Amino acid sequence: MRPFTYERATSAQDAAAKVAATPGARFIAGGTNLLDLMKLEIETPTHLIDVNGLGMDKIEAIDGGGLRIGALVRNTDLAADARVRKDYGVLTRALVAGASGQLRNKATTAGNLLQRTRCPYFYDVNMPCNKRKPGSGCAAIGGFSRPLGVIGTSDACIATHPSDMAVAMRVLDASVETIRPDGTTRAIPIADFHTLPGQTPHVETALEKGEMIISVAVPKPKGGTHIYRKVRDRASYAFALVSVAAVIGKDGKGAVALGGVAPKPWRVEEADALLPKGSKVVADCLFAGATPREDNAFKLTLAQRTIAAVLAEAKA
Amino acid sequence: MKFDQPAGTNPIDRMKVVGKPTTRIDGPLKVTGHAPYAYEHQELPGKPAYGYVVGSAVAKGTIRSMDTSRAERAPGVVAVVTHRNAGKIAKGNFNTAMLLGGPKIQHYHQAIAVVVAETFEQARSAAALIDVDYARDGGAFDLAAAKVDAPDATGSDAPTAVGDFAGAFAAAPVQLDQMYTTPDQSHAMMEPHATIAAWEGDKLTVWSANQMVAWGAGDLARTLQIPPENVRLIAPYIGGGFGGKLFLRSDVLMASLGAKAAKRPVKVALTRPFMGNNTTHRPATIQRIRLGATKDGKLTAIGHESWSGDLEGGGPESATQQTKLLYAGANRMTALRLAVLDLPEGNAMRAPGEAPGLMALEIAVDELAEKLGMDPVKLRVINDTQVDPEKPERPFSQRNLVRCLEEGAERFGWARRKAPGQVQDGRWLIGMGVAAAFRNNLNMKSGARVRLSPSGQVTVETDMTDIGTGTYTIMAQTAAEMMGVPLAKVTVKLGDSSFPVSAGSGGQWGANSSTAGLYAACVKLREAIVSKLGLGPGEAVFENGQVHVGNRVADIAAAAKGGEIVVEDSIEFGDLGKKFQQSTFGAHFVEVAVDRYTGETRVRRMLAVCAAGRILNPTAARSQVIGAMTMGVGGALMEELAVDKRFGFFVNHDLAGYEVPVHADIPHQEVVFLDEADDKVSPMKAKGVGELGLCGVGAAVANAIYNATGVRVRDYPITLDKHLDKLGEVV
Ligand SMILES: Cc1cc2nc3c(=O)[nH]c(=O)nc-3n(C[C@H](O)[C@H](O)[C@H](O)COP(=O)(O)OP(=O)(O)OC[C@H]3O[C@@H](n4cnc5c(N)ncnc54)[C@H](O)[C@@H]3O)c2cc1C
Ligand code: SF4
């Protein structure tokens, strides 16, 4: 870990402006991802701006329906919120499928969206990795890629985005609300928030320099059965091989997004329309143009079968 | 004391303390945080500095140049030690690779430097400032490729053959010929390798996490090329080892070198990412098993070959070990073949040999049972043997495998097991599996010192270790039984090389050997007390703090009135282990559920029935077995060090990537011990259980999965991708 300086922000705009103005500055929220990466020198910020304590830890109703979730709302609190449990069950289920109780107590809504990949080569600074060190190459391609992506990847990076929460947010059509250093705000649809790697896998989101997440808005409840099914190598405390977030109505129509397969929560709107036709066509649509590796091609089969499990559960 | 005749009746047989379920006497210290582990010792001869180990970034090659100047100038840095300034370093007897690499690099993350600083954070941060230029060499990293021309292992690992295997196999009406694989595995114990080292003049003291104190101290002296009497190793509490701490490792050497350079005590703990590649691991195997049987299930031919790899000069994973002994059969062969690989050093991990060997053999037996249309419990029962099948003149000292199987089947409800793929519970496919457990019992010379104080307190001193297994408690039970005092009157001091050399903790030999050594010392103490008190000849009975000889009685404390009585002895094992095959046995029964959609396996129930001689402390023994069963589930379902065959290292080298079972993976576990006492083994009549509990679990899980799905997987771990596409369509 490199030496760094630390300060507490006084307001969201103050934080955004400081991060923009100070070379090597980063926001820190729960710290559960950033600190781990700093200890391994995968992240090397020289200045941390603490955004805790800015009052962004509330969940508020939006006029006309929907919820505005503060950027600093802890994963535990979000999962336990009565409104979320009642109307956005997929979000609660995704949250509690992630990490551990202790981590969820610390982890924040913004930090969760911005957590970085769990590609094992990204974690080993001796290995080439375009995401960690642009231009150095990708050690995962041709190596141990079993946990990595099968679609939306590029020849520069095949990492996945590891968040469970983000997959639920995607199926709920959430939008990420931000403030920029100049004080202007905007709402970025979750679909556009995470970007695909292309030749610049170190760029992971649409956020500009210094732009800070202040909240995440979910539109009014979708109704239907909310399911989050996370498939992994052990029963708990592991990242998804494949996960499926779905909201499915009585008529079999709904929305579906996948985790564990792509550099971002993976949703293809046309696939939603195919849900009444069964898992195979849905999966074919979601994975058109997939580029699996030998050791992770099983994810295509697994995704289709997990969608099938979710459809069966929705019917039951 | 020499143990070369079967034990007669002795004071342990009273079993007033030994054999009783006893909670750990060190438990309160541990749960209140007062038991100091290696990194936590406070009584040091000076303020400690912190060492951070730097590992090689390449698997094989040479350090062309190394620039430590930036690190040396970094805040708080006291010293940087590399091969250039470490002085002459040798290799210990138990190590394959050098613990300090450079200029030659033998494996990934081989230690190449230690940075010592005032704080851990300063040391870590400075460590990243060392610039190393490597000349990278190609290496062999792929077992499947290296297997092709791997030679037979030699010495005690050399091939064995009895009868005419090839002929009998060819002629057998029912045959099985299959390949199985087990992956590289990591010990992944809770406490990482950690050491505090302090020099006073040319005397070196290390507080370290080491299972084998005398081996560790000896190899430290050898590695540093200093006289053995100048080294003291202290290891009173150890947070797990599983074989990963059997030997001197880089934490000890780097702390010692760092302390020498810093001229003050230095603490070094290996970080988790070092676990996979800096330390040792259980080597992967590729195994071929051929079984030939008559139509009624009698084995006529048993062949087991296993390939594994290690660094030049290393050894094989002896996965054929149990196959020499487990089942009868006139024609048999085993062979271990060892390839040279440039992956990190392979070495012992809990039940080396049998653990991966049974993972293969006990699937093979299940497969044969199916070919025969025979219940797999019955197949094992009818092929039982009471003698060493390779040397029929050697009987087993005691062998109750059949009882384990039959009693287990009864308790588990084995009769309800259906044909593969027949039982469903909602989305779950349900199956049951069985496997035999087998692990050789090993004995090691073991010594102890016992003191009797004027207040009647009995103090035990031995360099024996407690790696979380419960050694403190069984030692106290043994002394209490022998001396006729309550547990509270016994103090146990372990893990210090200034104490008599013991068996140490490894190969499941610790409990039996170390208590037997203590038994010997207690026999001496009893004689000393009787003689001191002048109680004269006759049989002495020690009870309630008193000794009775005939109708004469005295308090034992009285014997020490004039001063503490101190005696020392050790147990040495004669040739009973040659005359009798000494092994431990068990049967594992497992029920699993496999998700029909996703292929995920969840273990629902587990039962182990064990026959392992006298059980010294049923509470601790049960903990050992359920822990081992948990490890077995890990091996069956998830544990695998993933090899990168280009860069030559284990990629998933932390606990996020190397998955071990969590609570949610482990169901109800039941353990039954048969009531046994094996008089050929030791005066304690006990054997090991700590490794037995692991042996066979993997195959029992694998067989249960097959019974659930009808899809046979022969490559561990049985992750969902191995059978997913064969589970039948789902829409
Ligand atoms: C052992 C372990 C297991 C885990 N398992 C799972 C799992 O199964 N599923 C899962 O989904 N997650 C898992 N996680 C990840 C966990 O969810 C994230 O670490 C956590 O959500 C990050 O939140 P944080 O507040 O701690 O972020 P931090 O670590 O504080 O920050 C993460 C990033 O977000 C940036 N940031 C923080 N707040 C803002 C803001 N308001 N605006 C702009 N940028 C911001 C920081 O600069 C940093 O780059 C696991 C983590 C660990 C350590
Ligand atoms: S997949 Fe991406 S994160 Fe992983 S090594 Fe390649 S570039 Fe790095």
Side-chain angles (χ1 to χ4, degrees), chain B residues 703-718:
Chain B
N703 295 337
I705 292 174
Y706 174 71
N707 184 242
T709 62
V711 181
R712 182 66 78 177
V713 180
R714 300 182 184 87
D715 301 295
Y716 293 97
I718 307 180

Side-chain angles (χ1 to χ4, degrees), chain A residues 117 119-122 128-132 137-141 148 156-159 201:
Chain A
T117 186
C119 169
Y121 296 94
F122 174 74
C129 170
N130 289 322
K131 191 185 273 302
R132 177 168 31 75
C138 170
I141 295 176
L148 302 183
C157 179
I158 58 170

Side-chain angles (χ1 to χ4, degrees), chain A residues 26-27 29-34 99 108 112 114-115 164 213 230:
Chain A
R26 292 288 289 276
F27 304 109
T32 60
N33 192 225
L34 185 59
T108 65
N112 192 316
L114 291 170
Q115 64 175 295
D164 291 299
I213 300 176
K230 182 176 180 182

Side-chain angles (χ1 to χ4, degrees), chain A residues 121 124 139 234-235 280 305, chain B residues 108 596-597 644 646 660 729:
Chain A
Y121 296 94
D124 190 328
R234 65 180 172 194
K280 289 233 159 109
R305 299 181 71 101
Chain B
Y108 191 72
R596 182 164 85 82
Y597 290 92
D644 186 307
R646 306 155 310 162
V660 298
E729 299 256 299

Side-chain angles (χ1 to χ4, degrees), chain A residues 1 39 41 120-121 124 126 139 141-144 146 229 231 233-235 238 279-280 298 304-305 308-309 312, chain B residues 57 108 124-125 128 427 595-597 600 642 644 646 649 651 653 659-660 665 719-721 727-731:
Chain A
M1 186 186 258
K39 288 175 190 169
E41 300 211 359
Y121 296 94
D124 190 328
N126 293 325
I141 295 176
F144 172 62
R146 181 178 181 269
R229 183 77 166 84
V231 184
D233 285 323
R234 65 180 172 194
S279 63
K280 289 233 159 109
F298 76 93
Q304 178 263 315
R305 299 181 71 101
Chain B
Y108 191 72
R124 180 174 60 186
S125 135
R427 63 179 219 252
D595 189 305
R596 182 164 85 82
Y597 290 92
E600 293 160 286
D644 186 307
R646 306 155 310 162
F649 77 121
V651 186
H653 52 69
E659 290 182 17
V660 298
D665 291 299
T719 46
L720 57 88
D721 44 310
L727 292 182
E729 299 256 299
V730 291
V731 290

